[in-house]
Amino acid sequence: MKGIGVWVCASLAVLGGAAPAGAADHNNVDAHRPLSFDDADSLAFREQAFELGLNLAWPRKRPLGLGMDFEYLYGFAMNSHASLGFEPSTGGRAGDPDTGFDLGSVALGLFHNFNREHRGAPAFSVRGDAYFPTGREAKGVAFRLRGIASRQAGYGRLHLNVDLNGNPGARKEERQIHPGVVLGYSRPIGYPVHFHTTGLAELSVRAGEDRGTGPVIGVGVGMRRQVGVRSVLDVGLQSDVAASRGAPRDHLRLVVGYSTGF
Amino acid sequence: MTRPFWRKWEETRKRGNGRSGGPAEVPISSFPHFLISLFLVAAAAAGQPPRDLPPLPEKLPGWIRNTDRNHIFYRRGRYNFDVYNVPKLARDLNAVAVGHAMAYEDLVTGKAGQLETKTFGRIDRVLKNPPRFMPDEAAISPTFGRRYGVLEQVFDWTHILHAQTVDVLASKQLTEPEKDREIERLWKFYFESVPYAVTPLPMNMEFLDGQPYSAAFRKKHPKVNGLFWGYHWLQGAMYDMLYRASAEDQRAAYEVIGEQYHKTELYRTDRPFMPMFAEVSPIFAARFPHIANAFDNLHMLHDLVNDILASEWITDKQKDDQITRAIWLLSAAAHRGEAPGRRRQEAGGSKQEGLHDHRHFLGVPGMGMMTGMTPELMWMPRMGWMSMADCHHCSMPLWDGEDWWRNPTVTAGGWSMRVRCPLCARDMSAETKGRSLLRIPTEKPDRIVFVVSDDAGNLKTSTPGVVFLENEGSHTGCDEWSRAFSSLAAFAAYVKANPKLAGAKALSFEDWAKREGRKPDTYVKPKGPSENPYEHRGHQR
């Protein structure tokens, strides 16, 4: 069970883990709020935001689990922001036989946007997150590197996230490095009459956490709705629809969250 | 001192001969130029548009072609988003954002042909049902933003100045002096945070509106242009309505302003020129002329861009270049070292000379020179010629210098006029049709009496305890014998300090509102250099 907390955290990161980006506007898409992908937009310079979420997971062959995530973001430089977050959870977790309360890892992240979308070129960003082992049986500092490209598609936007997850403290039967890819889509809903809601969808593929396990394919749909001048409510439903060679996965995951910028 | 992030853009790039296509410029006296002119006249006569566009300046700063996103958050303040203290205004401003974005997106996605029909209908629906929250313009006009990202940065950044100054004015927590100071800080924040701030200098609007493509948009899409200018009217008119007014007065005043906006200003297609800030908010423009100029210049940038995009004879590449040039013309960077009230003479008399003409109307440092007008006289549709330094009711000089705040204003029928005294305000309002709004200063700079006049001319105010002095005589002295006071004590102190007013009676608001003065003995109707400077204006050759 060594380092399982970190591993779970790293896995969750692929699914939409401890990762923030963007301002408190329904059109700005941040990982975890409510799906797993980021758009390529950073927080505005000097903007701050809090993002809070609850998720109810139904992992395969495990009891229901409840997780929370808290995130603070700060646009510390032009086109860049930093984040600090943690994700306590209790109950069933995919790939973890333990059902007790786990504080989870503390995540520190940096996000930088290289360019806006212009002409035919997508917007490109990169983010890096370090997960410090503050949870149960956690060991070593896990990390994730994510490359992000966002591009207009009609009135919607496509977002490609390519992840490289690393876990130096992994046990023998676990992979130290495992990649993942998420293709996300966001589109304002209600134009040209309403201007407060964005619909989201995603398709993800990630390598299984344990050596010998196959890839896990996930899908998700969600919605972000402006509920205040600087606040957004989000709701999402995710499912790992397929996994090969016994890779741990969630049947279903319901995510509800709230973001506010200031 | 911290090095600004945008220093990396400071390097300039040389761009060949800088021409954006079309025939080369030639000395004005040359024979080839004569032949080209002859060709252009013949082409115009045959309905063929010209192809000579002004070239891009040879050296442009690096930021003008940046591909960064560069979002900057509002300056932090407890007043942020206080525009919602005037809920109807807040929602109307949200709708304005939608209108601009929808029109721009259709213009750049080959739907210009439906601008006056479908697009107008979509925009109008939003204007009549304004959104609760400020929409993300970038999501409504993604193609436009992708193509003209730097322009979008200029627009967005100046719109933030617009939004934050309005938030400050609508704040219930800040005192009036605090608001003035914060607005200056906001200006500094705006001007110093990025290299692409719009110039605060008064600009020669005749020059800017005299480009080869000028007026194309208003001629081709008069209804949508009317909406745009209606937005700009509101974005100007709201300032005097909010400035030094209580929250209650602001909401009451917006009943008048909002009605004018929705019923008339949005649908006017007869304006010869865009609404100028100082025309509709002369008091705020007198206090913050640099901000008034920046907003006029922002709105002129909108017009330049509209006209470029609406000119079918300009190729896509030329449109890109001309929009880049338009950003440069209105940028602060293009006018470094220049000062308001001055005109930089170009060696040899360049065609660009009007670009560096920063003269303004006498007594109005917040408004640049306009077509066919002189610094002494301005022309307005339906109003004719007028001296902006004099009272529009009695022709006597307005308050200026440190006393700039003492001028009352009358807002009616889409215009706002400064007058010299409360009597002039009241009687001028009585002479106008429809509802009007009077803004009458008392002895305290931060205590303004807001008066609303209904269609029948009945006056109402929510300011308690206000009293008036009206010892009518010649208007040469109306600044002394017609005044408003915040209290009876203030009235008594003023009368005591002015022995020639001994025995003057204090009038309650109700008594004052019923009075009517004599026709001013000093009134003179100014005569301008022409009947209507816009009448024979050919914007498009």
Side-chain angles (χ1 to χ4, degrees), chain B residues 373-398:
Chain B
M373 302 182 201
T374 68
E376 293 76 25
L377 289 178
M378 186 184 161
W379 183 90
M380 276 173 70
R382 294 174 294 174
M383 308 287 285
W385 291 96
M386 60 192 74
S387 162
M388 300 299 280
D390 299 331
C391 173
H392 296 295
H393 186 249
C394 71
S395 302
M396 293 306 296
L398 291 167

Short mmCIF file of all heavy atoms in Angstrom, two decimals, chain B residues 373-398:
data_model
loop_
_atom_site.label_atom_id
_atom_site.label_comp_id
_atom_site.label_asym_id
_atom_site.label_seq_id
_atom_site.Cartn_x
_atom_site.Cartn_y
_atom_site.Cartn_z
N MET B 373 -15.40 72.69 -37.57
CA MET B 373 -15.67 73.54 -36.40
C MET B 373 -14.42 74.30 -35.98
O MET B 373 -13.32 74.00 -36.45
CB MET B 373 -16.20 72.67 -35.25
CG MET B 373 -17.46 71.92 -35.66
SD MET B 373 -18.15 70.94 -34.33
CE MET B 373 -19.15 69.78 -35.29
N THR B 374 -14.61 75.25 -35.14
CA THR B 374 -13.49 76.06 -34.67
C THR B 374 -13.35 75.86 -33.17
O THR B 374 -14.30 75.42 -32.52
CB THR B 374 -13.74 77.56 -34.93
OG1 THR B 374 -14.82 77.98 -34.07
CG2 THR B 374 -14.12 77.81 -36.39
N PRO B 375 -12.20 76.17 -32.60
CA PRO B 375 -12.08 76.01 -31.14
C PRO B 375 -13.12 76.83 -30.37
O PRO B 375 -13.50 76.46 -29.27
CB PRO B 375 -10.66 76.51 -30.85
CG PRO B 375 -9.91 76.30 -32.13
CD PRO B 375 -10.91 76.55 -33.22
N GLU B 376 -13.59 77.90 -30.98
CA GLU B 376 -14.55 78.78 -30.27
C GLU B 376 -15.98 78.27 -30.40
O GLU B 376 -16.82 78.52 -29.53
CB GLU B 376 -14.48 80.22 -30.80
CG GLU B 376 -13.18 80.95 -30.52
CD GLU B 376 -12.04 80.50 -31.43
OE1 GLU B 376 -12.32 80.02 -32.55
OE2 GLU B 376 -10.88 80.60 -31.01
N LEU B 377 -16.29 77.63 -31.53
CA LEU B 377 -17.68 77.26 -31.78
C LEU B 377 -17.83 75.80 -32.17
O LEU B 377 -17.11 75.29 -33.02
CB LEU B 377 -18.26 78.13 -32.91
CG LEU B 377 -18.52 79.59 -32.60
CD1 LEU B 377 -19.05 80.31 -33.83
CD2 LEU B 377 -19.50 79.75 -31.43
N MET B 378 -18.84 75.19 -31.56
CA MET B 378 -19.14 73.81 -31.87
C MET B 378 -20.55 73.74 -32.45
O MET B 378 -21.40 74.55 -32.11
CB MET B 378 -19.09 72.99 -30.58
CG MET B 378 -19.26 71.52 -30.83
SD MET B 378 -19.31 70.62 -29.29
CE MET B 378 -20.09 69.13 -29.87
N TRP B 379 -20.73 72.74 -33.31
CA TRP B 379 -22.05 72.56 -33.92
C TRP B 379 -22.64 71.23 -33.47
O TRP B 379 -21.95 70.22 -33.41
CB TRP B 379 -21.91 72.56 -35.44
CG TRP B 379 -23.21 72.44 -36.18
CD1 TRP B 379 -24.02 73.46 -36.59
CD2 TRP B 379 -23.86 71.23 -36.63
NE1 TRP B 379 -25.12 72.97 -37.24
CE2 TRP B 379 -25.05 71.61 -37.28
CE3 TRP B 379 -23.55 69.88 -36.52
CZ2 TRP B 379 -25.93 70.68 -37.84
CZ3 TRP B 379 -24.41 68.94 -37.06
CH2 TRP B 379 -25.59 69.34 -37.72
N MET B 380 -23.92 71.27 -33.14
CA MET B 380 -24.59 70.02 -32.77
C MET B 380 -25.90 69.91 -33.54
O MET B 380 -26.58 70.91 -33.75
CB MET B 380 -24.91 69.99 -31.27
CG MET B 380 -23.75 69.52 -30.41
SD MET B 380 -24.09 69.67 -28.66
CE MET B 380 -25.32 68.42 -28.42
N PRO B 381 -26.24 68.68 -33.96
CA PRO B 381 -27.50 68.50 -34.69
C PRO B 381 -28.68 69.01 -33.85
O PRO B 381 -28.71 68.80 -32.65
CB PRO B 381 -27.60 66.98 -34.86
CG PRO B 381 -26.28 66.43 -34.52
CD PRO B 381 -25.56 67.41 -33.69
N ARG B 382 -29.59 69.66 -34.47
CA ARG B 382 -30.81 70.21 -33.87
C ARG B 382 -30.56 71.38 -32.92
O ARG B 382 -31.47 72.05 -32.50
CB ARG B 382 -31.61 69.13 -33.12
CG ARG B 382 -32.16 68.06 -34.04
CD ARG B 382 -32.82 66.95 -33.27
NE ARG B 382 -31.85 66.22 -32.47
CZ ARG B 382 -32.14 65.27 -31.62
NH1 ARG B 382 -33.40 64.94 -31.41
NH2 ARG B 382 -31.21 64.63 -30.96
N MET B 383 -29.29 71.60 -32.56
CA MET B 383 -28.97 72.70 -31.64
C MET B 383 -28.24 73.82 -32.36
O MET B 383 -28.28 74.96 -31.92
CB MET B 383 -28.08 72.20 -30.51
CG MET B 383 -28.58 70.98 -29.77
SD MET B 383 -29.97 71.34 -28.71
CE MET B 383 -29.17 72.18 -27.36
N GLY B 384 -27.57 73.48 -33.44
CA GLY B 384 -26.82 74.49 -34.18
C GLY B 384 -25.49 74.82 -33.54
O GLY B 384 -24.92 74.00 -32.82
N TRP B 385 -25.02 76.04 -33.78
CA TRP B 385 -23.71 76.45 -33.29
C TRP B 385 -23.80 76.95 -31.86
O TRP B 385 -24.80 77.55 -31.47
CB TRP B 385 -23.14 77.56 -34.19
CG TRP B 385 -22.78 77.05 -35.54
CD1 TRP B 385 -23.55 77.09 -36.66
CD2 TRP B 385 -21.56 76.40 -35.90
NE1 TRP B 385 -22.90 76.50 -37.72
CE2 TRP B 385 -21.66 76.07 -37.29
CE3 TRP B 385 -20.39 76.05 -35.23
CZ2 TRP B 385 -20.65 75.43 -37.98
CZ3 TRP B 385 -19.38 75.42 -35.92
CH2 TRP B 385 -19.51 75.10 -37.28
N MET B 386 -22.75 76.70 -31.12
CA MET B 386 -22.73 77.18 -29.74
C MET B 386 -21.30 77.32 -29.25
O MET B 386 -20.40 76.64 -29.75
CB MET B 386 -23.49 76.21 -28.84
CG MET B 386 -22.94 74.82 -28.83
SD MET B 386 -24.05 73.68 -28.06
CE MET B 386 -25.29 73.52 -29.33
N SER B 387 -21.16 78.22 -28.30
CA SER B 387 -19.86 78.36 -27.65
C SER B 387 -19.86 77.46 -26.43
O SER B 387 -20.73 77.60 -25.55
CB SER B 387 -19.63 79.81 -27.23
OG SER B 387 -18.60 79.85 -26.27
N MET B 388 -18.91 76.56 -26.37
CA MET B 388 -18.89 75.59 -25.27
C MET B 388 -18.37 76.21 -23.97
O MET B 388 -18.45 75.60 -22.92
CB MET B 388 -18.02 74.39 -25.63
CG MET B 388 -18.49 73.64 -26.86
SD MET B 388 -20.16 72.98 -26.65
CE MET B 388 -19.81 71.52 -25.70
N ALA B 389 -17.84 77.43 -24.06
CA ALA B 389 -17.33 78.08 -22.85
C ALA B 389 -18.40 78.96 -22.20
O ALA B 389 -18.18 79.51 -21.12
CB ALA B 389 -16.10 78.91 -23.18
N ASP B 390 -19.54 79.09 -22.91
CA ASP B 390 -20.59 79.99 -22.40
C ASP B 390 -21.86 79.22 -22.06
O ASP B 390 -22.11 78.13 -22.58
CB ASP B 390 -20.92 81.05 -23.45
CG ASP B 390 -19.72 81.92 -23.77
OD1 ASP B 390 -18.87 82.09 -22.87
OD2 ASP B 390 -19.63 82.40 -24.92
N CYS B 391 -22.68 79.86 -21.24
CA CYS B 391 -23.96 79.26 -20.85
C CYS B 391 -24.84 79.12 -22.09
O CYS B 391 -24.95 80.04 -22.89
CB CYS B 391 -24.65 80.14 -19.81
SG CYS B 391 -26.31 79.60 -19.41
N HIS B 392 -25.47 77.98 -22.22
CA HIS B 392 -26.30 77.75 -23.39
C HIS B 392 -27.67 78.39 -23.26
O HIS B 392 -28.46 78.35 -24.19
CB HIS B 392 -26.42 76.25 -23.64
CG HIS B 392 -25.10 75.64 -23.97
ND1 HIS B 392 -24.40 75.96 -25.11
CD2 HIS B 392 -24.31 74.77 -23.29
CE1 HIS B 392 -23.25 75.30 -25.12
NE2 HIS B 392 -23.17 74.59 -24.03
N HIS B 393 -27.94 79.00 -22.11
CA HIS B 393 -29.23 79.66 -21.93
C HIS B 393 -29.08 81.18 -21.95
O HIS B 393 -29.93 81.87 -22.51
CB HIS B 393 -29.86 79.22 -20.60
CG HIS B 393 -31.24 79.73 -20.39
ND1 HIS B 393 -31.56 80.68 -19.44
CD2 HIS B 393 -32.39 79.44 -21.04
CE1 HIS B 393 -32.86 80.92 -19.49
NE2 HIS B 393 -33.39 80.19 -20.46
N CYS B 394 -27.98 81.69 -21.35
CA CYS B 394 -27.86 83.15 -21.28
C CYS B 394 -26.60 83.68 -21.95
O CYS B 394 -26.37 84.90 -21.95
CB CYS B 394 -27.90 83.61 -19.82
SG CYS B 394 -26.44 83.21 -18.86
N SER B 395 -25.78 82.81 -22.49
CA SER B 395 -24.56 83.19 -23.23
C SER B 395 -23.47 83.82 -22.36
O SER B 395 -22.45 84.28 -22.88
CB SER B 395 -24.86 84.15 -24.39
OG SER B 395 -25.78 83.57 -25.28
N MET B 396 -23.66 83.85 -21.06
CA MET B 396 -22.60 84.40 -20.20
C MET B 396 -21.57 83.30 -19.92
O MET B 396 -21.88 82.12 -20.00
CB MET B 396 -23.21 84.90 -18.87
CG MET B 396 -24.12 86.10 -19.04
SD MET B 396 -23.33 87.49 -19.89
CE MET B 396 -22.04 87.93 -18.75
N PRO B 397 -20.33 83.70 -19.61
CA PRO B 397 -19.27 82.69 -19.43
C PRO B 397 -19.60 81.69 -18.33
O PRO B 397 -20.10 82.06 -17.27
CB PRO B 397 -18.04 83.52 -19.04
CG PRO B 397 -18.35 84.91 -19.48
CD PRO B 397 -19.83 85.06 -19.42
N LEU B 398 -19.31 80.44 -18.61
CA LEU B 398 -19.51 79.39 -17.61
C LEU B 398 -18.44 79.48 -16.54
O LEU B 398 -17.40 80.12 -16.72
CB LEU B 398 -19.44 78.02 -18.29
CG LEU B 398 -20.59 77.68 -19.24
CD1 LEU B 398 -20.25 76.45 -20.08
CD2 LEU B 398 -21.88 77.44 -18.46
#
